[in-house]
Amino acid sequence: MSSSPWSDLPVDIGHLILDRLTEVVEHVRFGATCNHWYVISKQYQHRQRRALPMLLVPSPEAPAKPDLPKLCALSWLGKYHQNFNHPLPFTRFRYCGSSNGWLATQNEDFTLTLLYPFAGQLLTIHLPVLGGPWLARKHDFLTKKLIVSPTSTPDNFTVVAIYGDARKLATIKSGEMSWFRFKKIPDIFYSDIMFYENKIYAVGQNFQMVRLIVHLRPPRFKIIHPGVESVKSNKTFFVESSSSELFLLQKHLRFLPVNQDIREQAMNQGHRDGEEEDYIYARRWTAKEFCVYKLKLDNTGAVVEIIETKSLNGDAFFVGDNESMSFSATCFPECKTNYIYFTDNYIYDDYIEPFGREDVMCYNVEDGSMKSIYSVIPRHRRNMSQPIWIMPQYYHQDKLNEN
């Protein structure tokens, strides 16, 4: 039997088809058709980077406590894709990382599970305990952030995490049975981590930056910028721009009063759901502004200059509990130039915010204006996962296609 002519689709025709598919899940499905179409889709992503990330949110039809919890991905066209039917994460349904298409969740026994939902089958990576009972006061927030190396597969991966109330650093590679913690590293409450030009960087809230050397055991570090006492922010992010420049973002928050009626309603809702009593503050944190800096590195990787700027050079940045991402906004009519799209980082770990994690907004770097891009459904505020950006990758599927 002769093969279908579609299996020999010319590359240029395939790219024209992908030009008309604006949804990232459509690109994934295109690449899952056959090996040849997968190669076409992978080449297209590397050259065009056409699809934008999706926002992982609860299904609009999901009740407050579904028997079979489901998530869906909200696209830029306002569509909900119902193909993310894996279990929600453990306590309070929080994901502790979204990196290169992998979602990280901490389990009840302090182990970690990484999920990749874009390969036709649900791929998983199981990681050992990070921390222990001495760090269990808020165990669902033990792992603050987790990133996965860009070329990770279930059999070959590198993972780096920020963990504990002191925001320390740890790493693990495939084949290892336990985490390696970075010893003698300054305790400065690390805020973000990222892979950049085949290296791993971490930044603290006081602007101290370190390069992590994770291929050695025990792992090592090198300080590339000392801390600055006068710098204060509620959250700091690394972002690599679409032109491979390194940016640093400071997110500043403000404390706003909460309407007393809404506060009492939120507390009463928790009691009706049979939860333990949570204290809900009379005020809540919300985003105020971002400060943006461009970093200049020398040949050794040390930071030699920090330049404050009001421009992202035409990019759009996506930050939050995910590993930060950037896209050239000029390629995407749905996306705004020089905007930061951000999700709620849930600054306090010991209470439930009455509005849920609903700081999902975009920030105009040029004029400082903000507007909401997603509204939390009221019945989901207390018991559903926080919105988080997610973007599939193609690297890890190469090995799967060979099998």
Side-chain angles (χ1 to χ4, degrees):
M1 181 180 295
S2 61
S3 61
S4 167
W6 288 105
S7 62
D8 299 319
L9 183 72
V11 173
D12 56 341
I13 300 300
H15 287 185
L16 289 174
I17 294 173
L18 289 168
D19 274 336
R20 295 179 177 272
L21 301 178
T22 58
E23 303 274 2
V24 63
V25 291
E26 293 173 337
H27 286 230
V28 172
R29 290 165 180 164
F30 179 97
T33 304
C34 63
N35 285 350
H36 179 59
W37 285 30
Y38 163 75
V39 172
I40 292 175
S41 185
K42 178 182 176 182
Q43 291 176 346
Y44 183 88
Q45 295 296 325
H46 289 174
R47 294 177 184 175
Q48 308 289 343
R49 214 175 184 185
R50 178 63 183 171
L52 289 168
M54 297 178 295
L55 189 65
L56 195 65
V57 297
S59 168
E61 292 79 25
K65 285 191 173 181
D67 294 331
L68 296 174
K70 294 183 178 181
L71 296 178
C72 58
L74 177 61
S75 74
W76 287 88
L77 298 182
K79 297 180 180 178
Y80 287 88
H81 296 277
Q82 305 283 352
N83 56 337
F84 296 90
N85 296 338
H86 46 46
L88 286 169
F90 179 62
T91 308
R92 296 187 187 175
F93 311 113
R94 176 183 176 267
Y95 285 109
C96 55
S98 171
S99 174
N100 294 299
W102 291 91
L103 286 166
T105 178
Q106 185 173 288
N107 304 313
E108 185 175 6
D109 60 358
F110 298 98
T111 61
L112 291 154
T113 301
L114 274 58
L115 310 168
Y116 189 91
F118 296 104
Q121 56 180 307
L122 182 62
L123 304 180
T124 60
I125 295 175
H126 297 288
L127 301 176
V129 171
L130 174 57
W134 62 92
L135 292 172
R137 183 171 63 90
K138 299 184 290 283
H139 59 271
D140 48 321
F141 286 91
L142 170 61
T143 307
K144 307 298 180 178
K145 191 164 191 175
L146 183 150
I147 61 172
V148 186
S149 54
T151 57
S152 289
T153 70
D155 301 319
N156 184 14
F157 59 85
T158 298
V159 173
V160 181
I162 300 174
Y163 73 96
D165 289 341
R167 307 309 201 263
K168 296 186 177 182
L169 299 168
T171 184
I172 190 171
K173 296 189 294 187
S174 49
E176 294 179 335
M177 303 303 293
S178 61
W179 291 81
F180 286 84
R181 292 164 177 78
F182 286 84
K183 298 181 178 180
K184 299 182 180 180
I185 196 168
D187 293 332
I188 57 167
F189 293 90
Y190 287 93
S191 179
D192 199 20
I193 42 180
M194 74 170 299
F195 287 89
Y196 174 66
E197 293 186 343
N198 298 317
K199 299 180 179 66
I200 305 172
Y201 294 89
V203 60
Q205 291 184 206
N206 67 344
F207 266 26
Q208 177 164 296
M209 297 170 238
V210 296
R211 178 164 59 87
L212 307 179
I213 306 168
V214 301
H215 66 280
L216 299 177
R217 290 294 180 263
R220 300 176 185 175
F221 69 95
K222 180 178 181 180
I223 297 175
I224 62 171
H225 187 268
V228 180
E229 291 184 4
S230 60
V231 173
K232 293 182 179 180
S233 67
N234 299 105
K235 189 69 176 180
T236 308
F237 301 97
F238 274 132
V239 186
E240 179 184 359
S241 73
S242 63
S243 57
S244 297
E245 293 181 299
L246 189 58
F247 282 76
L248 195 66
L249 311 182
Q250 282 185 300
K251 181 182 179 183
H252 296 274
L253 304 179
R254 56 186 170 184
F255 217 26
L256 295 181
V258 172
N259 180 282
Q260 183 65 23
D261 293 338
I262 296 177
R263 181 169 176 254
E264 292 178 358
Q265 181 183 359
M267 295 182 72
N268 292 335
Q269 180 64 46
H271 298 161
R272 287 195 298 270
D273 292 340
E275 298 178 350
E276 295 181 2
E277 182 173 352
D278 287 298
Y279 181 75
I280 297 178
Y281 284 86
R283 295 171 178 247
R284 76 178 185 109
W285 289 103
T286 186
K288 177 184 178 183
E289 64 179 354
F290 279 84
C291 294
V292 180
Y293 304 88
K294 185 184 294 185
L295 304 182
K296 297 292 185 181
L297 279 62
D298 63 18
N299 294 334
T300 68
V303 176
V304 294
E305 191 174 8
I306 300 177
I307 306 168
E308 188 168 6
T309 179
K310 291 289 186 180
S311 173
L312 305 182
N313 297 337
D315 276 6
F317 291 173
F318 294 79
V319 300
D321 288 323
N322 58 289
E323 185 174 12
S324 302
M325 296 177 279
S326 66
F327 297 85
S328 176
T330 57
C331 299
F332 306 97
E334 309 92 341
C335 206
K336 295 184 178 181
T337 301
N338 295 320
Y339 268 68
I340 299 170
Y341 293 81
F342 64 95
T343 59
D344 198 330
N345 290 108
Y346 200 35
I347 186 170
Y348 278 136
D349 300 346
D350 57 351
Y351 75 100
I352 301 294
E353 296 185 52
F355 295 97
R357 293 86 162 186
E358 68 175 25
D359 252 0
V360 184
M361 309 180 77
C362 60
Y363 176 83
N364 187 331
V365 173
E366 296 175 351
D367 64 18
S369 61
M370 280 185 290
K371 71 174 184 178
S372 175
I373 56 176
Y374 171 75
S375 297
V376 176
I377 298 173
R379 65 178 180 274
H380 294 162
R381 282 176 175 157
R382 294 177 61 88
N383 297 309
M384 300 299 279
S385 65
Q386 86 282 24
I388 189 170
W389 299 112
I390 183 170
M391 181 70 185
Q393 298 291 331
Y394 288 82
Y395 301 101
H396 75 281
Q397 291 181 231
D398 290 331
K399 188 172 182 180
L400 295 176
N401 287 348
E402 294 173 359
N403 295 335

